[in-house]
Amino acid sequence: MSGLPRVSKLRDAWDRFWFAPASPTNLGFCRLLFYGGALIFTWWDFSALAEVGGVFWKPIWWIRLLGLAQPSHGILQASQEIFRLALAASCVGIFTRVATAAAFFLGTYLLSLQYCFGGSNHAKVIVVWALASLALSRCGDALSVDRWLRARRGAHAPEASGEYRWPIRVVWVAMACAFFGAGVSKLRHAGAGWVTSDTLAAYLVRANYPIVRDSDMPMLDWGLWLARHRWLCRALAAGSVTLETLFPLALFHRRLRPILVVGAFFMQLGITAVLGANFDVFMWTYLFWVPWDRVAGWFRRVGPRGLVPAGSAAFR
Amino acid sequence: MRGRRLAPVLILAGVAVLWVGVEIAAPAAIRNLHAGRGPVALQRRLEGRERHSAEHYVTVWLGRARPAAAVLTVAALLAAALTIPAARRSFHEAVHRATGGDSVPQPEPPPRPRRIAVAGLAVLFAGGSLVELAIDPPYRGEHWPFSQYRMYSETPRRSPLVGLRPFGVTAEDPPREILLDGRYIRPFDGSRLAASWNRFVQEPDRERLLQAGLADCLRRYELRRAGGAFEGPPLQAVRLYRLTWDVDDRASTRDAPRRELICEVRASNAPTPSR
């Protein structure tokens, strides 16, 4: 019988993690910034994929499972226009529920099509999970046109609720899985050798050869300098693997959270600078770690009056 | 009480059965299927049976199944350990502390459908990621949008570097060879196209695939050029080269790779791109 209270405790811990009350403003800021960034980072002519010869078509697993063929130019053109509209509507929060759902379904489809030519890539996986999480959420309850319209009709501003915490936590878990996977993959494939050998130095030198990424050369050639300092490379490699493997602690440990999150952000920035990998939209999702309601509160206290409409019913 | 004692025994028995299945039963079944015995539907799963031995498939199976079984074993042992009251108490306390304990405001109970949706999303994502990590599919072969994020995870060969690259031969006098980089071959970038060439050269009908791929690059180059997407000379042919760089620490050889012609398609007799 003693098992039941413990199950109840575990359930409470689960509920606290996902559903502890949070301000709708925080999620509203995340929605506004995320969809704005997604609109920029996914601004790509998907319709061009219709022109590629069928010899390159190698559908990913779920496209193959659903029996979907290479789409026509018309379908892709229409899909991308609706996708962009949905992202813009989600950003400003108008018809938010419909817009976020459309953004999720069309975004997943269009992004996945890129990987049906030449193999998959994980750079934009995080977007899909963020889109899914926001599509299921009440992210339009603050800082949105929908909220403004509801306020005009006399509706009260929403109170803090668990509904405004879990969508952000889903993105946190997605990022934690990404970093943990990256750390474990390195240890699995190269073992301690990833740190103790010259693996990172070799990657740094390779990145300066146009072997793979002629479109994504490193921003700087500092990698060549780093590669000549083997102990520095090994220290950076050790730091990277440690950071990646321990990143899930950021979900639970409040003191470690800023260290791990800021550390991971600068690590990815460094990778982009010297290795050339493009993490644009992944890095944009770090915005989910920022407590925007507290930032707004800080601006209200120290910033010029009127910068943030304090307590405004329409924009809560 | 009896059920509580029975649980760890059943869990450990389950783990034993799992490993027998992974190490003995499944390899035996694979060997049988390879030899043409067993359900035809399963035999069809062994693509390229005529090219690979049974041991190849057993190796692939073990490479994927062992990590997955290891993950399941750890989870099962953890579950077995949690049947011990003292261990369970310590675990609950640790989880309670880790998630903020009593310092976080008590949650409002969200509606049940919402809680199920959130739990479903979390389990789907975390479960999918863990499975991906366990089976560890090849790079660029992930079950998107799940991934084990294995970029930069392997120990790379320092030198030489080898890559396949398409070049256009201009219809000028004298003709020049220009690298067909991103702006000429959109919507591909260099790395995505390189992955396709690497796949083609491993296929049995590589010549047909390479020719069809190069013909498609040539067709799209001319289409985009005619549409004003870039200013470039017309092409009389497209060639695929294997480039080999002897690497040095200062990347001084990056513009001087050795080149070996793999395939060529001329505009005058380009095949129709097809699957």
Side-chain angles (χ1 to χ4, degrees):
Chain A
M1 292 299 287
S2 63
L4 284 177
R6 284 179 185 131
V7 169
S8 160
K9 273 187 182 176
L10 260 183
R11 202 175 54 210
D12 288 348
W14 171 272
D15 282 347
R16 267 196 307 277
F17 179 80
W18 294 107
F19 300 114
S23 146
T25 312
N26 202 29
L27 185 60
F29 265 115
C30 287
R31 187 208 74 241
L32 195 150
L33 294 171
F34 173 74
Y35 283 106
L39 189 58
I40 295 166
F41 292 123
T42 60
W43 195 277
W44 197 73
D45 184 15
F46 292 96
S47 67
L49 290 171
E51 294 159 9
V52 178
V55 68
F56 291 108
W57 174 251
K58 187 172 181 283
I60 59 170
W61 69 281
W62 65 265
I63 297 265
R64 203 169 53 238
L65 204 68
L66 294 175
L68 301 178
Q70 186 177 353
S72 68
H73 186 272
I75 288 177
L76 284 179
Q77 190 71 40
S79 301
Q80 80 177 14
E81 295 306 331
I82 299 171
F83 176 52
R84 287 171 186 169
L85 266 177
L87 286 176
S90 305
C91 175
V92 297
I94 186 163
F95 304 121
T96 315
R97 298 308 291 262
V98 177
T100 52
F104 165 64
F105 285 112
L106 288 172
T108 305
Y109 175 63
L110 291 172
L111 290 173
S112 68
L113 278 181
Q114 290 184 81
Y115 308 125
C116 295
F117 301 90
S120 65
N121 183 290
H122 52 237
K124 292 186 170 62
V125 162
I126 194 90
V127 185
V128 173
W129 296 104
L131 289 174
S133 151
L134 292 172
L136 284 169
S137 78
R138 285 171 27 188
C139 62
D141 281 4
L143 294 166
S144 66
V145 175
D146 283 345
R147 171 70 207 132
W148 178 72
L149 291 172
R150 280 198 292 271
R152 277 171 64 93
R153 290 195 294 267
H156 293 293
E159 298 296 321
S161 159
E163 293 284 2
Y164 306 119
R165 184 176 297 272
W166 70 259
I168 292 173
R169 291 284 162 107
V170 167
V171 180
W172 287 18
V173 170
M175 287 183 86
C177 285
F179 281 115
F180 182 70
V184 170
S185 285
K186 289 182 180 73
L187 294 174
R188 179 180 187 167
H189 288 280
W194 207 89
V195 173
T196 56
S197 71
D198 292 333
T199 302
L200 182 58
Y203 276 121
L204 288 166
V205 174
R206 281 165 63 106
N208 286 276
Y209 279 81
I211 169 92
V212 172
R213 6 186 109 254
D214 54 3
S215 57
D216 256 347
M217 283 295 275
M219 291 156 68
L220 309 161
D221 63 359
W222 296 357
L224 293 173
W225 179 85
L226 276 174
R228 291 197 293 274
H229 297 76
R230 298 294 148 94
W231 284 104
L232 192 53
C233 281
R234 286 170 196 174
L236 285 172
S240 306
V241 173
T242 307
L243 194 63
E244 287 174 341
T245 316
L246 297 183
F247 194 88
L249 289 176
L251 298 176
F252 308 112
H253 204 292
R254 289 178 187 185
R255 288 188 184 164
L256 282 178
R257 189 174 298 155
I259 298 168
L260 290 168
V261 173
V262 173
F265 179 83
F266 281 106
M267 178 183 76
Q268 288 196 294
L269 203 60
I271 291 173
T272 304
V274 298
L275 284 168
N278 184 356
F279 294 120
D280 52 9
V281 79
F282 191 105
M283 294 187 72
W284 187 244
T285 49
Y286 278 96
L287 68 90
F288 284 90
W289 294 89
V290 179
W292 295 105
D293 48 347
R294 279 190 240 164
V295 173
W298 181 80
F299 267 108
R300 274 201 291 270
R301 284 196 301 277
V302 304
R305 278 172 184 276
L307 186 65
V308 174
S312 157
F315 281 91
R316 266 208 63 196
Chain B
M1 288 298 288
R2 195 173 159 213
R4 203 175 286 172
R5 281 191 207 131
L6 200 59
V9 177
L10 285 175
I11 291 171
L12 293 177
V15 169
V17 170
L18 172 72
W19 281 102
V20 168
V22 167
E23 297 289 338
I24 301 169
I30 290 170
R31 288 188 190 103
N32 276 333
L33 290 168
H34 190 272
R37 294 186 294 270
V40 178
L42 288 177
Q43 287 180 34
R44 282 203 208 102
R45 299 286 299 169
L46 301 183
E47 285 175 19
R49 258 193 305 164
E50 62 289 351
R51 292 199 307 276
H52 302 298
S53 67
E55 289 318 301
H56 165 80
Y57 294 100
V58 172
T59 308
V60 171
W61 160 255
L62 290 176
R64 293 182 182 179
R66 276 177 178 160
V71 170
L72 286 173
T73 304
V74 170
L77 292 178
L78 190 65
L82 288 176
T83 60
I84 302 165
R88 205 163 51 216
R89 206 174 306 121
S90 307
F91 178 73
H92 286 314
E93 283 164 7
V95 169
H96 189 66
R97 276 198 305 275
T99 54
D102 297 324
S103 61
V104 177
Q106 284 301 304
E108 293 174 359
R112 191 174 163 75
R114 182 72 88 191
R115 289 173 59 169
I116 292 172
V118 174
L121 191 63
V123 168
L124 176 71
F125 181 73
S129 301
L130 285 176
V131 168
E132 202 68 358
L133 200 54
I135 62 175
D136 196 31
Y139 186 52
R140 290 198 178 282
E142 300 115 318
H143 297 92
W144 197 92
F146 300 103
S147 176
Q148 80 278 40
Y149 292 86
R150 69 182 277 184
M151 194 177 178
Y152 299 128
S153 68
E154 279 158 12
T155 310
R157 188 170 56 182
R158 197 168 181 82
S159 183
L161 294 177
V162 182
L164 296 167
R165 278 283 181 276
F167 284 77
V169 185
T170 61
E172 299 167 315
D173 191 21
R176 292 177 295 132
E177 285 188 338
I178 55 171
L179 176 66
L180 297 184
D181 61 17
R183 71 198 146 126
Y184 297 132
I185 56 168
R186 286 197 199 291
F188 286 124
D189 60 21
S191 61
R192 197 159 299 283
L193 194 57
S196 292
W197 301 131
N198 288 336
R199 177 166 67 86
F200 292 166
V201 295
Q202 287 170 7
E203 295 287 339
D205 55 344
R206 52 173 270 168
E207 199 59 36
R208 183 187 69 80
L209 291 171
L210 289 173
Q211 294 229 347
L214 286 175
D216 187 58
C217 288
L218 178 59
R219 178 182 64 84
R220 277 183 295 114
Y221 175 97
E222 291 298 349
L223 265 178
R224 287 175 54 74
R225 191 178 68 82
F230 56 83
E231 283 186 21
L235 298 182
Q236 57 170 302
V238 177
R239 291 173 182 161
L240 185 69
Y241 282 101
R242 177 177 286 120
L243 303 183
T244 305
W245 287 268
D246 294 315
V247 176
D248 70 36
D249 280 0
R250 293 178 190 275
S252 60
T253 54
R254 84 179 123 199
D255 296 323
R258 296 194 300 277
R259 304 206 303 183
E260 177 196 352
L261 182 64
I262 301 296
C263 187
E264 176 177 346
V265 166
R266 303 196 69 80
S268 50
N269 57 356
T272 309
S274 64
R275 273 165 214 217

